[in-house]
Amino acid sequence: MQYGYFDDKAREYVITRPDTPASWSNYLGSTEYGAIITNNAGGYSFYQSAAQGRFLRLRFNSIPMDQPGRYIYLRDRDSGDYWSTSWQPVGKPLKEYKSTCRHGTAYTVIESDYAGINSQTTYFVPLGQLFEYWWVRITNTSDRPRKLSAFTYCEFSNNWDTSQDLVNLQYSLFIVKGEMRDNLLRIAINDNLTVDASNFINNDQSRHSWMALLGAPIVGFDTDRTSFLGTYRSYHNPLAVERGLCSNSKAYGDNACGSFQADLDLAPGESRDLLVMLGIGESGSFGKCTVEEFGSVSRAEKELQTLKSTLHSRLESLKVETPDPEFNSMMNVWAPYNSQVSFNWSRSASLVYNGERNGLGFRDSVQDVLGILAADPEAARSRLELMLTGQVACGGAIPVIKPFDHHPGSEPAPADEHFRSDDCLWFFNAIPVYVAETGDEAFYRKILPYADHGEATVLGHLRRALEFNLERTGRHGLPCGLEADWNDCLKLGYHGESLFVAFQLSMGLAVYAEVAGRLGLPAEAEWARKQREVLNTSIQKHCWDGEWFIWAIGEDGTVYGTKDFAEGQVYLNTQVWSVISGAATPEQAEKAMQTVKDRLATPYGLMLSAPPFIKTSIDVMRAVLFNPGIKENAGIFNHTQGWGVMAECLLGHGDRAYEYYRAFMPAAYNDRAEVRQCEPYVQAQTTYAGISPRPGNARTTWLTGAAAWAYFSATHYLLGIRPEIDGLRIDPCIPSTWPGFKVIRQFRGKRLEIVVSNPNHVCRGVTSLVLNGETMEGSLLPIQLLKNENRVTVTLG
Ligand code: IFM
C-alpha cells in the first residue's frame, strides 16, 4: 500500500492519502523554538526543552491519534457545513475530501479540497525566531460566491513543565489566564509572578504566549477551551464552529486555547490569505513587535524562502545519483535531514518521546555528530565541545547533558557505580571524523574543562576516556560493564565484563595511537599500542567461541553468548564490532559475519540477538522485559544496522552490505507502507522481528541513532567517500549489479564531481583514480591537489 511519494526535486515527501497507518510527522523550528507537526496537523511546540518548555499541548498515545494540533476550521455560513483544512480533526469522508501533505525541510504544507473550497496551509518557524506561522490560502474553486468563517485552534499547556501540565492537575488547572488585548490573544501562566530569564528551569515564574490572526477582520475569539469545544464534544465537532460563532471567552484557570474567528466572502476563483502567528513572550511587547515586523504575507513568503534555501544548502554537501532511486531520495534529502533532527533533539521530543528524556543523552548525542559532519561541521564542533565538557575528570561521563542548564567545572560527578562503560568511547568515532572532515587538527590541542573539576586538551580528554575503562577492568582483562554498555539492558554487575566495550576500547586505543603519532607524541602512541596488544590478547583468549564472539562475562564468571547458552546465543554487536575495531583476525571476521547472516539476518534487518530472552534473569539482561522480537529483546534495533553494513563493507562484501542496507532503508518500504507502518522517509528505533506476530512493523521514528549511522555507513562505507586528514579517500563497496554511480561532494570548501564506473561488476577495489586529468596512486585524493572545482573519475575492477 502506498500513501505518498518522494518529490526529490522539491525535496519533499508528499502524502497523498491522509489515513496513514500511523501519524507521519515532521519537525519545524530550531533548538530554541521546536515544533512537531503530523500529516493531519497534530503536534506541539516547545521552547528549548520539550519537557520544561512545552507551551502547546499534545495528548500522547491517545485516541484519536495525534490530537490536538494546529487546526483551522472552515464553515460555510450558508449551509452550516464545516470541515478542517487538514483531514483531521473533522475527518470528512475521503470520497468527498481530498488532502495532500508535503513534508519538507522544517516546513509542512497541507492542502485540502472540499465542497468547492481549496486550502493550502504552510506551517513553519522562521529561521532564528521564537514564533511560528500558519499561513493559509483559501480559494473558492466553485462557480458561486461563498460565505465562509475560519476558526483557528490550538491548545496551550497550563504549565511549561509537561509532567506538571498533564499530571499535577490540582495545581496546573488553576494558573492559566487568556484574553484578547489589542487584537492579540494573550495567554499567561502564573501571571502574578515575573519572568526569571536567568533560570529557564525555574517553574515558579510567569510564562507567556500569544497568537495573532491577520488577513481578515476578527469577528470573535475564544481562549477558554470548554467555551470553544463545548462539553461532551471534541476537536471534530467544536461548539463554536458548529454554531458559527466564538464566544469571546477568557480563560481563567481550567484550560486555555487559541481561537480566532474571521469571516470571509469569496467570489468564484477568488483567494484570500490568512496569517496565523503564534509565539512565546508577552503579547503586548514581544507579540506586538513580532506582528509589526513579520505580520504580512510578503514577509512570510520571504521567511519561507530563506528557511528553505538555508536548509537546502546544508543538503548540498553530498548529492548522489545511483541506480537505486529510493537510495537517492534517502541520501539527497531524508537521511541527512533526519540526522539533523536527531542531532538537534537527541531523544527528547517526538510523538513517542514526550519529554521524560530531557536533554542530550551522552552516548547518543556523541554518535549523532556523525550524521551532520559534512553538512554542518561548526555545529558538530560545538556539540563535541559541549559533550567533552560533560566528561568528568575520572574519564566517565554525565549520562544526560542539558544545554540549557550545564555548568562545566561545577557539575556533580555521577557515583562510580552509575557510570556507563561506553559513553566516552564514542568520542573515538566522532572526533577523528570531525578532524578529517575539516582538517582542524588543532582541535586536539584545545583545552576544555571537565564537567566536575579540572581541564585538559581534547587529546587529554581522550586519554582519560581510555584510562577510565583500563582502570575498570575485570578478571579476564576486559572492561567492566558498569551500569550498562551501549545496550541499556545489559546489567552485568559492576565487575562483569562487556566484550562490546572491549572492542570499542580496542578501536579507541588504535585511534589514539594514530592521533598521538601524528601530533608528534611517539611515547603516547606507543603506550596506546601496548595497551591494545594486551587487551586484544585477552579478547582472543576468552571471547571467541569457534563461529562467533561471546558478548559478556558476568561477575560470577558466567560466559554469555557461547554455543551452550540458550538465550541471546548470538549477539550482533560483538560480531560487527569485532570487524569495525580491527580486533578480529581475518578468519574470525569472516566467520562472525557469516554467523550474523545465518542467525540474525531477516528481510527487515539484523536482529540484535537470537534466540530471544525469556528465562534469562532480569538482573543480567533487562531486555527480558520486552516482548520477544522487539527492541533489545531480539528485535531489529535499527541503531545497529549501519554497523552491520560497515562491517560487511570492511570485508569487501558489497552485495551483502547493500542487501542489509535496503532491509532497513525506510524508502524501500514506500510501496508497502503497511509493513513498516511509520514514515517511509525516516528511520525508526526498532523494527519487530520475525519471531513477533507483526514482523516489519517499525516504531519510534525520527530520533534514533539509526539516523546518523544509516547516513554515515552509506556515505562513508557503501559509497566510500571518506575524508581523511590528508585528503579524500574514495573506496566504494557497492552491489556488483551497479554499473557505477555519481557523487557531488563539498569538501573543505572545494567541490568534487566524482564519477565511479564499475565495468567488471565487482563490489570493491579502485583500479584507477583520476583527478582533474591526473592519475593518482592508490585511492586517496590528496588535499593539496584539490582545486576549487574538481573532476574525479574512478574505475573499480
Ligand atoms: O544505546 C541505547 C541508547 O542510548 C538509548 N536507546 C537504547 C539504546 C540501546 O539500549
Side-chain angles (χ1 to χ4, degrees), residues 617-683:
S617 164
I618 190 174
D619 297 336
V620 174
M621 180 44 92
R622 290 184 63 78
V624 73
L625 288 167
F626 297 124
N627 291 334
I630 303 179
K631 284 175 70 91
E632 286 95 335
N633 193 4
I636 296 160
F637 210 97
N638 290 310
H639 189 139
T640 64
Q641 305 298 306
W643 302 339
V645 171
M646 285 161 63
E648 290 296 358
C649 286
L650 286 166
L651 299 179
H653 302 159
D655 287 319
R656 200 184 267 178
Y658 204 64
E659 179 194 326
Y660 288 175
Y661 201 83
R662 277 194 61 90
F664 80 103
M665 184 172 78
Y669 293 83
N670 193 44
D671 57 0
R672 43 191 176 126
E674 74 284 1
V675 173
R676 214 168 156 264
Q677 297 187 329
C678 60
E679 298 94 328
Y681 45 92
V682 286
Q683 289 289 345

Side-chain angles (χ1 to χ4, degrees), residues 353 357 363-364 485-489 632 637 639 685:
Y353 291 116
R357 289 191 180 205
R363 74 162 75 92
D364 292 326
D485 69 4
W486 169 89
N487 187 337
D488 284 330
C489 299
E632 286 95 335
F637 210 97
H639 189 139
Q685 184 211 60

Side-chain angles (χ1 to χ4, degrees), residues 712-740:
F712 182 74
S713 60
T715 54
H716 288 59
Y717 286 83
L718 285 168
L719 301 175
I721 315 286
R722 249 187 334 262
E724 291 182 7
I725 293 178
D726 298 327
L728 196 61
R729 176 80 54 194
I730 312 289
D731 180 22
C733 185
I734 54 175
S736 54
T737 49
W738 282 13

Side-chain angles (χ1 to χ4, degrees), residues 29 42 195 670 768:
V195 174
N670 193 44
S768 139

